[in-house]
Structure formats: C-alpha cells, structure tokens
C-alpha cells in the first residue's frame, strides 16, 4: 500500500479520486492549496505526490520547485495543459511523470505504481560499470573513478539508460520516450541540454568526449575510454 498526497483544489475531481484510489488499496491524503500541500508533504512524508498545476494560492510549477528544493518525493503532475513544451518544463523541473486531464483513477493508479517502482529501483538490480563509471540503480548513486558524482534525478535516469546499453547508439526518440516519457517531437532539444549538463559533471565535452559520444544525426553512445571506437 502506497501513501499518496493529492494536491488538488477542485472538489469534483478530488473527492472521486480519493475514493477510487483508496478502493485500489492506497492511503490517500489531500490538500486544496499549494502551501497546505507543501506542509503536508514535508510533515507526513508520503510515498508519492499528485500535483495539480492550477492551484488557488500558487501556481503548481512554483510549488514543484519549492518541493524539489527540500524533498526527493516522487511527483506526478496532473494538468489540463497539454502543450509539449510546458510538459517538458515540468519534467525538467523535477516531476517524475504527468497526466493530462481528464484522466481516470485507473490511469493515475497505473502511473503511480510505475513511478514508485522506478523510484524504488529493482532490488535485484546490480550496479552498472563502464570503465571507471559506476551507476547503481538501487541507491541511485554514481561515481567516476571512485569519486561520487552528484546528478539530478533526470540526469541519473539518462545516464542509467545509456549505461545499460554500452556501445550502442541510442536515439533521441528512444531517450524522450523511455527517460522523459513523452513522444518524440519539438522537445528533443531537451536531450541535448541534459547531455551537455551530464558531460560537464563527468568532466568532458562534446568536442573532447570520454564516455558520451555523439553520433551525428542518430543519437548518443556511451563507451568506456580507450575502446577504440
């Protein structure tokens, strides 16, 4: 049973969702404003937060930023805004997934279970080692030549996806679909931005790559240094 916090001001949406999620075995608390939701998230430490963006006292985007500054709790954004650029902003700001209204309780339940599985990691999974790079999906920690590397959740997911496929060229389409959970389209520039951030943290650049090699017009490949590719 997961403990969910639903931050939603619309009573006609909040009430049936709470009832349906409880029927599916979750413990559900609810808040109708951004500030009360932030307080509940910090005090009660839920397993997952479902965040509406259109809150009366503060835009949900600002609440997400505030929450991410103090907590790593998984967040699903619930929004009526279906613009892809807006969705990418939410994911880059720290959301783990999103649902576009209207959606059913069954859809939310499925997304919640998937996010919780990803955030918990596979208990049987082993660390991925590529050269001096070590990526541990259980602890979500990364080290390079024995030195810890601090990554954002999205940077970790991107690196883990590539490290699980060493030597393979992974397309932007696959990365957007599997890491960002959004369709391929005009948002593909976000992959380039995150790869740039990741390279910087790994001490390399696109011009002088060690691990992350761009294959022009195709995608990116992660290789150990000195593999001769």
């Amino acid at each position: 049973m997961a403990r969910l916090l639903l931050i939603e001001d619309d009573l006609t949406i909040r009430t049936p969702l709470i009832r349906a999620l409880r029927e599916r075995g979750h413990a559900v608390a609810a808040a109708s404003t951004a500030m009360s939701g932030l307080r509940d998230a910090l005090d009660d430490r839920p397993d997952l937060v479902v965040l509406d963006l259109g809150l009366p006292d503060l835009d949900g985007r600002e609440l997400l930023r505030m929450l991410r500054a103090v907590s790593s709790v998984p967040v699903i954004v619930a929004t009526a805004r279906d613009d892809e650029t807006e969705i990418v902003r939410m994911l880059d700001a720290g959301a783990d997934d999103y649902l576009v209204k209207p959606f059913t309780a069954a859809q939310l339940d499925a997304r919640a279970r998937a996010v919780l599985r990803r955030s918990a990691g596979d208990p049987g999974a082993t660390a991925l080692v590529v050269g001096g790079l070590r990526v541990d999906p259980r602890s979500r920690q990364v080290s390079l030549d024995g030195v810890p590397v601090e990554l954002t959740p999205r940077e970790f997911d991107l690196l883990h996806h590539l490290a699980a496929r060493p030597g393979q060229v992974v397309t932007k389409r696959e990365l957007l679909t599997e890491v960002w959970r959004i369709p391929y389209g005009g948002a593909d520039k976000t992959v380039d931005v995150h790869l740039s951030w990741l390279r910087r943290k790994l001490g390399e650049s696109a011009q002088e790559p060690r691990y992350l090699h761009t294959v022009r017009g195709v995608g990116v490949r992660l290789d150990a240094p000195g593999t001769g590719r």
Side-chain angles (χ1 to χ4, degrees):
M1 178 182 70
R3 295 177 298 111
L4 310 183
L5 172 61
L6 177 62
I7 306 177
E8 166 66 66
D9 68 312
D10 189 333
L11 189 63
T12 63
I13 295 175
R14 189 172 70 242
T15 301
L17 270 182
I18 291 172
R19 181 173 60 250
L21 290 169
R22 284 175 176 167
E23 289 173 353
R24 286 169 168 79
H26 301 295
V28 186
S32 59
T33 67
M35 298 315 295
S36 63
L38 179 62
R39 183 183 62 247
D40 291 348
L42 298 180
D43 290 347
D44 299 338
R45 301 176 65 85
D47 298 315
L48 182 140
V49 171
V50 181
L51 173 62
D52 174 39
L53 295 184
L55 298 168
D57 57 333
L58 190 68
D59 189 90
R61 290 175 297 184
E62 294 303 316
L63 176 57
L64 177 60
R65 293 188 183 97
M66 294 168 66
L67 189 58
R68 274 291 162 261
V70 294
S71 173
S72 59
V73 61
V75 176
I76 296 177
V77 165
T79 177
R81 309 169 194 175
D82 60 358
D83 177 72
E84 187 177 81
T85 301
E86 179 70 12
I87 290 170
V88 169
R89 284 198 194 102
M90 292 300 97
L91 294 170
D92 285 346
D96 295 88
D97 204 346
Y98 70 95
L99 277 170
V100 176
K101 296 178 179 178
F103 55 83
T104 66
Q107 290 173 323
L108 176 55
D109 178 45
R111 293 292 187 96
R113 286 185 282 106
V115 167
L116 289 169
R117 282 196 301 271
R118 292 199 300 270
S119 63
D122 181 355
T126 58
L128 304 173
V129 179
V130 182
L133 187 65
R134 188 176 189 274
V135 182
D136 190 336
R138 291 169 295 184
S139 63
R140 293 182 65 85
Q141 293 181 342
V142 172
S143 63
L144 179 61
D145 299 326
V147 179
V149 179
E150 294 295 327
L151 300 181
T152 67
R154 194 67 56 192
E155 290 166 353
F156 178 89
D157 292 340
L158 173 58
L159 182 61
H160 180 263
H161 191 85
L162 294 170
R165 298 156 181 80
Q168 298 180 28
V169 179
V170 181
T171 66
K172 291 182 183 178
R173 181 187 298 272
E174 178 179 336
L175 292 172
L176 279 172
T177 301
E178 298 299 324
V179 177
W180 275 265
R181 309 284 169 178
I182 62 174
Y184 183 79
D188 61 309
K189 285 295 183 185
T190 198
V191 176
D192 296 329
V193 172
H194 280 76
L195 283 171
S196 176
W197 292 340
L198 198 50
R199 283 189 174 104
R200 191 177 306 130
K201 292 183 177 182
L202 295 179
E204 60 182 74
S205 67
Q207 293 72 35
E208 298 183 6
R210 293 183 65 225
Y211 286 90
L212 297 171
H213 301 265
T214 298
V215 180
R216 191 174 298 277
V218 183
V220 63
R221 184 187 72 242
L222 187 146
D223 267 327
T227 57
R229 291 178 179 270

